[in-house]
Amino acid sequence: MSKCVSGWMLTAGFLFVACATQAATRVKADNTNNLNLATSWVGSTVPGSYDLALWTNTVTGPNSVLLGANLSFLGIGVTTPNGAVAIGGTHTLTLGFKGIDMNAATADLAVTNANLILSDYVSQVWNVAGGRTLTINPVAFTRSTGSALGVQGI
């Protein structure tokens, strides 16, 4: 029995490494297209559950966008966009263990979509730079089984 359990654990470990190595940072393009569209992202790839969605100086002004569909991101990063970022809409956004990183942000972030979910069994730390504002105001906020949230810098 222990060989069977060991085999399953080894297989699960390989799957985790395979998925983790495919993680990427997807940079938001300078437009207000819905986030579920390839045209909304530099390189035309919509971030998935193993990807970080990042707003940088490629965004040249305030950026108010809708999800457009239920989406899952590894996390959201805001660094140097040239205006505040607002994510809204009637869909669900699920965040993985990277959470929200505004440690080096030069702009504020508001998340006001219908549902915000923290993924199962992950611990997230949301980090907000001094002088920046993170607004979380979804219709429903769900902390899934085994998830934890810490907020730093506020």
Side-chain angles (χ1 to χ4, degrees), residues 5-36:
V5 172
S6 296
W8 280 109
M9 291 177 69
L10 184 61
T11 301
F14 282 129
L15 287 173
F16 176 76
V17 169
C19 291
T21 59
Q22 294 177 5
T25 298
R26 306 294 179 193
V27 175
K28 178 68 179 81
D30 189 22
N31 60 46
T32 57
N33 296 353
N34 289 354
L35 298 180
N36 66 314

Side-chain angles (χ1 to χ4, degrees), residues 94-95 117-124 141-149:
T94 302
L95 292 178
I117 299 174
L118 305 184
S119 292
D120 289 342
Y121 301 104
V122 298
S123 294
Q124 297 183 11
F141 180 75
T142 305
R143 184 182 63 84
S144 297
T145 303
S147 63
L149 174 63

Side-chain angles (χ1 to χ4, degrees), residues 39-118:
T39 56
S40 191
W41 302 96
V42 172
S44 299
T45 302
V46 177
S49 57
Y50 294 104
D51 299 324
L52 179 69
L54 181 64
W55 275 255
T56 67
N57 61 1
T58 59
V59 175
T60 59
N63 193 240
S64 182
V65 293
L66 301 176
L67 290 175
N70 295 337
L71 295 173
S72 293
F73 298 152
L74 183 64
I76 295 174
V78 176
T79 56
T80 57
N82 292 302
V85 175
I87 300 171
T90 59
H91 294 90
T92 298
L93 175 61
T94 302
L95 292 178
F97 80 91
K98 291 273 188 173
I100 296 175
D101 185 2
M102 297 176 61
N103 187 47
T106 60
D108 300 331
L109 171 64
V111 179
T112 60
N113 56 288
N115 302 299
L116 181 61
I117 299 174
L118 305 184

